[in-house]
Amino acid sequence: MLKHITIRNFALIEKVEISFSSGFSVITGETGHGKSVFLGAVAMLLGQRSDVKSIREGADRCVIEGIFDIAGFGLEAFFEENDLDYDRECIVRRELASSGRSRAFVNDTPVYVSLLKELGARLIDIHSQHQNLLLGDRNYQLGVLDTLAGDKELLSGYKSIHEQYLSLKRELAARKEALETSRRDEDWLRFQLDELDAAALKSGELEELEQELQELSHAEDIQAALYGACAAIDSDERSMLNALREASNALSRIAVHYPAAQDFADRLESNYIELKDCCEDMSQRADRVQFAPSRLEFVENRVAQIYSLVKKHRVEDVDALIALADEYRGKLDAIINGDDDILELEKRLSEIVKQLTDKSAVLTSVRKESAADLQEKIVAILVNLGMPMIRFEVEFKPVEGFTPVGCDNVVFLFSANSSSAPQPLCDVASGGEMARVMLALKSLVASSTKQPTLIFDEVDTGVSGILAERMGRTMQQMAGDFCQVLSITHLPQVAALGRNHYKVYKEETDKGTVTNIVELGQQERVHEIAQMMSGEVLTEAALDNE
């Protein structure tokens, strides 16, 4: 629950620090004095959309910080899943700069606003008048029923299977479409694959052929050069090999007198051996080089064939052609086996449909049990709220197919008198009736969930007298030692029931108009409630009505 809130430079609020207690508290103040401003600050703290226009004029930023007691509300798992430090006292801070930059922190850890909004929904439920419109939303009605049914795990299991169902449907549709497209292209694919397979391509083949083509095209030049090089090294007229050998022998003879000569002799001998090997290798290669017209023609045709395929298929090399052939082969295999794959997917989808059918049937059964309990309890509450002839029913209509939340279309039916058949709530209920129905639903939801704090923003608008008191009593009963209910109200009957009383007021300062909120003491509270009863002129009768 909300223990303390600090608001700085938000709209007309310069600085407000206020502590709250558990149980039922009320917030009062004249129209236009800033109750909505306070509520807007709380909403921003909880992750709602921020606007730089909310920053107090002349300030460069606004800061809102709330301290929450979250012990006993089952939020440990949420903090662990989001890598946040858990403590029974949780500090939430929201900052908004005039530049438009917004920052959020949970226990001093920076978080995304989306995460803050998720946490905020678990900390405080703010109910304003416009939320009564939600009663016309059948998804909201179903959500209320699920909350009261406590079918969270069952619904989660259904949703998990439903996601598999949607995934399989998408995959099956994609496979069928792909198979249909592939079959239209089957003849073309087979022709392309046959052409590539007939080419019998090998990785690295083109490079080898291009090298061979160079040798065959210049065989005579290559052979002449090799023979010429050998003759230059070792010819009858002048042999480089003989000259090296003679020089080496001459140096070896003087080595006994001049040791350095042996090193030269060894180096010359090494050169002699290397040169001799080189000459022999060139001679052997020259013998193998031959001009072969038939082989040259074959290589030229093969290279031309490969280049033609590379150009035709717009790829870079032979490896890409081989990969393309594998791709075509895979597509053709998929066509051949496509029907089997589709049958397998359809079988799996059928199994999923059966599971969904079973799960949704159980979900419907649980919801109907909860609906019977809801009808009984909400009638009892609404009778106490001044609707003695109330009729409230939950109508179930089957939905074709499977929705993410089951196969039920739930409609709240309502009639304020016994002579009229129940009709959809949003079609026949007045504003005041909608407010009381919503309050009754909130009361039931609060008793079945661990919602730390509920804030009602003028939920009692349009009622007065004994009904106002009864609505106040209902909110009072919703609050307990572990729940906190705050009611923003204009009605003295409601204000008188609060354990704590806070007043929002405006005042003029040297910095302009500012909004403040303070907790009233006992005498101040009596005076405030009396003022609410008597109007502009405070009367002794109103004070005596304590």
Side-chain angles (χ1 to χ4, degrees):
M1 64 181 181
L2 179 62
K3 293 176 62 179
H4 188 87
I5 189 169
T6 302
I7 306 170
R8 294 186 181 90
N9 298 321
F10 183 84
L12 293 178
I13 297 176
E14 182 179 16
K15 182 179 179 181
V16 161
E17 288 194 51
I18 195 77
S19 295
F20 295 95
S21 302
S22 62
F24 180 48
S25 299
V26 295
I27 300 174
T28 62
E30 294 183 26
T31 299
H33 276 211
K35 296 186 295 297
S36 61
V37 172
F38 170 74
L39 201 59
V42 174
M44 180 174 157
L45 177 65
L46 300 178
Q48 296 302 315
R49 185 178 178 181
S50 59
D51 189 335
V52 293
K53 295 179 181 178
S54 300
I55 301 175
R56 180 173 170 77
E57 187 175 351
D60 60 353
R61 69 177 57 240
C62 70
V63 179
I64 306 169
E65 181 175 282
I67 301 176
F68 297 84
D69 183 351
I70 59 175
F73 293 105
L75 293 174
E76 292 87 348
F78 176 86
F79 277 72
E80 183 177 354
E81 290 169 4
N82 292 284
D83 197 25
L84 296 171
D85 294 332
Y86 176 84
D87 195 332
R88 67 169 295 155
E89 192 172 83
C90 175
I91 301 176
V92 177
R93 187 168 77 256
R94 184 89 183 273
E95 300 177 0
L96 176 62
S98 56
S99 63
R101 183 186 181 192
S102 173
R103 298 195 300 167
F105 302 85
V106 175
N107 291 337
D108 289 327
T109 299
V111 298
Y112 290 112
V113 173
S114 58
L115 177 61
L116 179 61
K117 189 173 183 179
E118 187 178 353
L119 175 61
R122 296 168 182 253
L123 296 176
I124 296 180
D125 178 11
I126 299 178
H127 176 73
S128 56
Q129 294 180 56
H130 75 270
Q131 276 194 311
N132 292 335
L133 299 176
L134 288 174
L135 285 175
D137 185 341
R138 295 182 181 181
N139 289 327
Y140 178 79
Q141 295 177 5
L142 184 60
V144 169
L145 190 58
D146 281 328
T147 299
L148 297 175
D151 58 9
K152 184 177 180 180
E153 290 187 6
L154 180 61
L155 185 57
S156 177
Y158 171 89
K159 287 181 177 180
S160 177
I161 298 174
H162 186 263
E163 288 175 1
Q164 297 177 46
Y165 166 75
L166 293 179
S167 178
L168 273 176
K169 281 191 68 176
R170 287 192 294 267
E171 184 178 358
L172 182 59
R175 288 283 188 92
K176 286 182 176 179
E177 182 178 356
L179 182 60
E180 183 179 349
T181 302
S182 296
R183 280 180 171 156
R184 289 198 299 266
D185 299 335
E186 183 176 3
D187 291 340
W188 180 86
L189 287 169
R190 197 170 299 283
F191 174 79
Q192 300 300 328
L193 179 60
D194 289 344
E195 183 182 42
L196 290 171
D197 283 346
L201 300 166
K202 297 177 183 178
S203 180
E205 178 185 10
L206 183 59
E207 291 78 7
E208 294 176 1
L209 289 171
E210 287 177 331
Q211 181 59 44
E212 184 179 0
L213 183 60
Q214 288 294 323
E215 293 179 8
L216 290 169
S217 300
H218 302 85
E220 293 179 353
D221 294 337
I222 294 171
Q223 190 177 57
L226 289 172
Y227 281 139
C230 288
I233 294 171
D234 187 18
S235 65
D236 294 337
E237 291 81 9
R238 187 171 180 274
S239 173
M240 293 174 64
L241 292 175
N242 290 337
L244 285 171
R245 173 56 59 84
E246 290 174 4
S248 176
N249 290 339
L251 290 169
S252 293
R253 288 195 294 272
I254 65 170
V256 66
H257 308 295
Y258 184 62
Q262 188 60 50
D263 179 55
F264 293 127
D266 292 342
R267 289 164 65 185
L268 289 172
E269 181 66 20
S270 177
N271 287 329
Y272 169 81
I273 295 171
E274 178 64 25
L275 194 57
K276 184 179 180 181
D277 287 343
C278 183
C279 187
E280 290 175 354
D281 286 346
M282 287 191 294
S283 179
Q284 291 173 4
R285 285 181 174 270
D287 292 341
R288 290 198 299 267
V289 174
Q290 295 180 358
F291 177 64
S294 59
R295 177 63 183 174
L296 176 60
E297 182 181 4
F298 170 80
V299 173
E300 287 177 336
N301 291 337
R302 180 63 171 167
V303 169
Q305 178 189 21
I306 294 175
Y307 273 131
S308 176
L309 290 172
V310 166
K311 182 178 180 181
K312 174 182 177 180
H313 294 283
R314 298 180 181 178
V315 295
E316 295 293 327
D317 50 31
V318 173
D319 287 342
L321 287 173
I322 294 173
L324 188 60
D326 290 339
E327 180 184 337
Y328 290 154
R329 190 172 290 106
K331 288 183 177 180
L332 287 170
D333 288 343
I335 294 173
I336 295 170
N337 301 317
D339 289 333
D340 292 339
D341 292 341
I342 288 174
L343 285 174
E344 179 61 28
L345 282 174
E346 288 177 338
K347 180 181 177 182
R348 287 169 55 194
L349 184 61
S350 178
E351 293 171 354
I352 290 292
V353 167
K354 185 180 184 307
Q355 293 179 47
L356 274 180
T357 302
D358 294 341
K359 285 279 188 182
S360 63
V362 175
L363 199 56
T364 298
S365 177
V366 171
R367 285 168 172 167
K368 286 184 175 179
E369 288 181 13
S370 177
D373 187 53
L374 169 63
Q375 291 172 177
E376 181 180 341
K377 290 181 177 179
I378 202 168
V379 166
I381 295 173
L382 291 175
V383 167
N384 183 58
L385 291 177
M387 303 170 73
M389 308 306 293
I390 179 67
R391 295 172 67 186
F392 184 90
E393 297 175 7
V394 180
E395 181 183 58
F396 282 78
K397 294 181 178 180
V399 177
E400 291 186 9
F402 301 100
T403 77
V405 290
C407 298
D408 302 314
N409 186 3
V410 169
V411 183
F412 288 172
L413 303 180
F414 172 87
S415 175
N417 54 72
S418 58
S419 61
S420 300
Q423 299 292 325
L425 175 66
C426 59
D427 293 343
V428 296
S430 66
E433 290 168 342
M434 291 278 275
R436 280 177 276 176
V437 171
M438 180 60 92
L439 179 61
L441 288 173
K442 290 280 185 179
S443 174
L444 293 175
V445 169
S447 64
S448 63
T449 61
K450 290 185 176 181
Q451 183 72 49
T453 300
L454 294 96
I455 299 179
F456 290 98
D457 180 21
E458 300 183 1
V459 69
D460 47 25
T461 297
V463 298
S464 58
I466 188 64
L467 290 184
E469 181 181 351
R470 287 178 178 177
M471 291 186 75
R473 293 285 181 194
T474 299
M475 288 184 279
Q476 187 182 52
Q477 291 168 6
M478 291 168 66
D481 293 334
F482 298 101
C483 183
Q484 180 184 53
V485 175
L486 301 175
S487 175
I488 298 174
T489 182
H490 286 291
L491 300 181
Q493 297 93 327
V494 175
L497 296 173
R499 178 189 294 179
N500 303 93
H501 192 147
Y502 303 88
K503 180 178 180 178
V504 176
Y505 65 96
K506 277 184 182 179
E507 61 179 345
E508 295 296 328
T509 70
D510 55 355
K511 295 181 180 180
T513 304
V514 297
T515 290
N516 282 310
I517 178 170
V518 295
E519 182 175 4
L520 301 180
Q522 184 60 32
Q523 290 303 315
E524 294 170 316
R525 183 179 182 187
V526 170
H527 188 277
E528 173 70 9
I529 295 174
Q531 187 78 63
M532 295 170 70
M533 294 173 63
S534 61
E536 183 177 355
V537 180
L538 180 62
T539 65
E540 289 296 328
L543 288 170
D544 293 339
N545 201 34
E546 180 184 355

